[in-house]
Amino acid sequence: MDLPQQYVFTRTPAEAAPVLRACNQCPIRRECEAIVDPSHTWFDGVCGGRLWRNGREVKPRKSAAGRP
């Protein structure tokens, strides 16, 4: 899959969505995260199937669906 670098190195969850979908199919997610080591390199972007900002995982926000 050809993904623009701006989506791989984004800090925005909406822009990261296509890359995260691609990561879900990737067989080397754990190896990718081990090599990049986001928490020690203060990485911004998608790595290992997760979005990182300043070396911390950006947790997905809960959807508003299902709220009263």
Side-chain angles (χ1 to χ4, degrees), residues 9-63:
F9 296 105
T10 186
R11 299 177 77 191
T12 309
E15 290 181 356
V19 181
L20 291 169
R21 282 192 297 274
C23 283
N24 285 334
Q25 300 172 18
C26 183
I28 61 163
R29 286 172 51 181
R30 288 189 178 150
E31 292 88 344
C32 176
E33 189 172 332
I35 291 168
V36 174
D37 196 10
S39 62
H40 289 100
T41 60
W42 292 61
F43 181 77
D44 286 337
V46 176
C47 175
R50 298 187 282 173
L51 178 60
W52 300 85
R53 187 178 301 144
N54 296 325
R56 294 183 180 187
E57 182 180 0
V58 176
K59 298 287 185 182
R61 292 186 180 192
K62 292 185 179 181
S63 169

